[in-house]
């Protein structure tokens, strides 16, 4: 995978991840106490889908492109509709141009006055883009540091006992699944009251199965795996699906996840798509 996310922004994996992110933050907003969000691999926050990178792959056309073209459906799960409304609002703010909001922009738009967002981005150019994007927002801080290192340095949050850690690593080097598993374990040890959401690619089953088994063997509990595959995961050279592992999910969140992924499978797949929401280890 070419990790510069501008090549992949708005694709089916982004769609699933971002709808789930909006749903998780909405759960946090239901209680009055402040919360903190840590986005460990934040990217640039806002992506021009008409730009060279996005146009070169065209992946967004089979993701957000399909959903924007759909008529209003009263059966759409509320969090999916909320996310679509947010995407349309961002595009409207850019005179209708195809600007797609990444996780930092979505999270920042859902913060309340006492909530906070911390973004980490190691790539210098992307980090500078992110700083410019949030230069007038005191609720958002941007760190030029490794996302995995930030888990030790920035957790637990100083000003909130509740919150969410989003891990969306590049998966461009060998051993990424192992690093992600260890990061989840570390984050839960340092921020036991927080939720963890970790994205992972599904190319074929062996790496994802080993990743989940590593967490089970380490004694981790209360793990929910949300997956959307567009085709059977048999080709290790192709992104066949997308997964999001959630540690400490909100009560009955699996029902929301099943409704969302079932609808995404219908609209983003071409007959072979499947959605799966399963407890890896219950509470």
């Amino acid at each position: 995978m070419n990790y510069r996310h501008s090549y992949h922004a708005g694709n089916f994996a982004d769609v699933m991840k971002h709808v789930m992110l909006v749903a998780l933050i909405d759960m946090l907003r239901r209680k009055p106490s402040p919360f903190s969000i840590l986005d460990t691999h934040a990217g640039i926050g806002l992506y021009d889908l008409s730009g060279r990178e996005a146009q070169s792959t065209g992946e967004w056309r089979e993701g957000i492109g399909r959903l924007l073209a759909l008529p209003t459906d009263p059966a759409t799960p509320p969090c999916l509709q909320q996310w679509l409304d947010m995407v349309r609002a961002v595009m409207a703010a850019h005179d209708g141009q195809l600007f797609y909001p990444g996780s930092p922009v979505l999270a920042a738009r859902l913060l309340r006055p006492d909530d906070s967002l911390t973004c980490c981005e190691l790539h210098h150019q992307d980090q500078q883009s992110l700083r410019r994007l949030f230069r007038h927002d005191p609720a958002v801080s941007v760190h030029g540091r490794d996302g995995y290192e930030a888990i030790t340095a920035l957790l637990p949050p100083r000003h909130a006992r509740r919150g969410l850690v989003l891990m969306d690593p590049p998966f461009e080097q060998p051993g990424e699944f192992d690093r992600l598993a260890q990061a989840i374990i570390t984050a839960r040890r340092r921020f036991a009251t927080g939720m963890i959401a970790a994205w992972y690619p599904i190319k074929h089953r062996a790496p994802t199965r080993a990743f989940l088994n590593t967490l089970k063997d380490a004694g981790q509990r209360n793990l929910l795996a949300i997956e959307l595959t567009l085709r059977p995961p048999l080709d290790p050279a192709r992104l066949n699906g997308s997964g999001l592992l959630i540690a400490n999910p909100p009560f009955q969140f699996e029902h929301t996840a099943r409704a969302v992924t079932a609808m995404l499978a219908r609209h983003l797949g071409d007959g072979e798509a499947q959605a799966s929401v399963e407890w890896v280890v219950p509470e």
Side-chain angles (χ1 to χ4, degrees):
M1 294 177 67
N2 185 329
Y3 178 62
R4 295 303 298 281
H5 196 67
S6 51
Y7 288 91
H8 312 293
N11 68 3
F12 79 96
D14 254 8
V15 167
M16 190 268 275
K17 174 180 62 185
H18 289 151
V19 177
M20 291 295 99
L21 174 64
V22 168
L24 288 170
I25 297 175
D26 185 59
M27 293 288 189
L28 288 170
R29 287 164 52 93
R30 295 184 183 184
K31 293 184 178 179
S33 58
F35 60 82
S36 174
I37 300 173
L38 172 61
D39 191 338
T40 62
H41 299 77
I44 63 175
L46 191 63
Y47 299 89
D48 182 2
L49 300 183
S50 65
R52 177 182 60 83
E53 294 91 347
Q55 289 295 318
S56 70
T57 64
E59 292 182 15
W60 67 272
R61 299 180 188 277
E62 304 305 313
I64 184 58
R66 287 194 181 192
L67 297 181
L68 289 175
L70 292 175
T72 302
D73 184 349
T76 301
C79 61
L80 177 52
Q81 187 60 57
Q82 181 185 9
W83 167 78
L84 271 172
D85 290 343
M86 294 175 72
V87 173
R88 290 191 173 105
V90 167
M91 291 183 178
H94 290 83
D95 299 321
Q97 297 181 61
L98 293 172
F99 278 86
Y100 180 81
S103 54
V105 169
L106 294 170
R109 284 177 166 249
L110 292 170
L111 297 179
R112 304 164 305 179
D114 292 330
D115 304 327
S116 64
L117 167 65
T118 301
C119 301
C120 296
E121 177 53 51
L122 190 59
H123 190 283
H124 180 72
Q125 184 178 347
D126 290 357
Q127 174 202 138
Q128 294 304 311
S129 297
L130 201 59
R131 290 185 187 278
R132 287 193 295 271
L133 186 63
F134 291 115
R135 62 187 181 275
H136 299 306
D137 192 337
V140 181
S141 60
V142 177
H143 292 245
R145 70 196 314 166
D146 176 75
Y148 291 139
E149 185 272 334
I151 291 169
T152 301
L154 302 178
L155 293 179
R158 292 183 178 181
H159 305 297
R161 293 176 56 84
R162 302 187 306 126
L164 169 67
V165 179
L166 174 65
M167 303 181 195
D168 183 13
F171 282 91
E172 61 181 356
Q173 296 178 0
E176 194 78 82
F177 273 111
D178 292 335
R179 284 189 290 273
L180 182 59
Q182 186 55 55
I184 292 169
I185 293 169
T186 301
R188 297 189 79 187
R189 183 173 65 247
R190 297 186 64 84
F191 190 25
T193 57
M195 295 185 291
I196 314 295
W199 181 85
Y200 56 93
I202 302 173
K203 295 184 176 181
H204 62 115
R205 282 295 175 193
T208 59
R209 192 178 300 117
F211 165 63
L212 298 177
N213 284 337
T214 295
L215 292 168
K216 287 194 290 185
D217 293 344
Q220 296 293 301
R221 303 191 63 80
N222 202 10
L223 302 175
L224 184 70
I226 303 167
E227 297 185 348
L228 174 66
T229 54
L230 298 188
R231 61 194 73 86
L234 303 175
D235 183 355
R238 191 177 186 186
L239 183 65
N240 298 301
S242 172
L244 193 70
L245 180 74
I246 303 179
N248 301 333
F251 179 64
Q252 295 190 333
F253 188 74
E254 65 269 28
H255 302 307
T256 297
R258 288 191 180 105
V260 168
T261 53
M263 179 164 279
L264 293 180
R266 288 198 300 273
H267 292 309
L268 302 184
D270 293 318
E272 293 184 296
Q274 292 190 349
S276 170
V277 179
E278 301 290 343
W279 285 99
V280 179
V281 186
E283 187 173 4

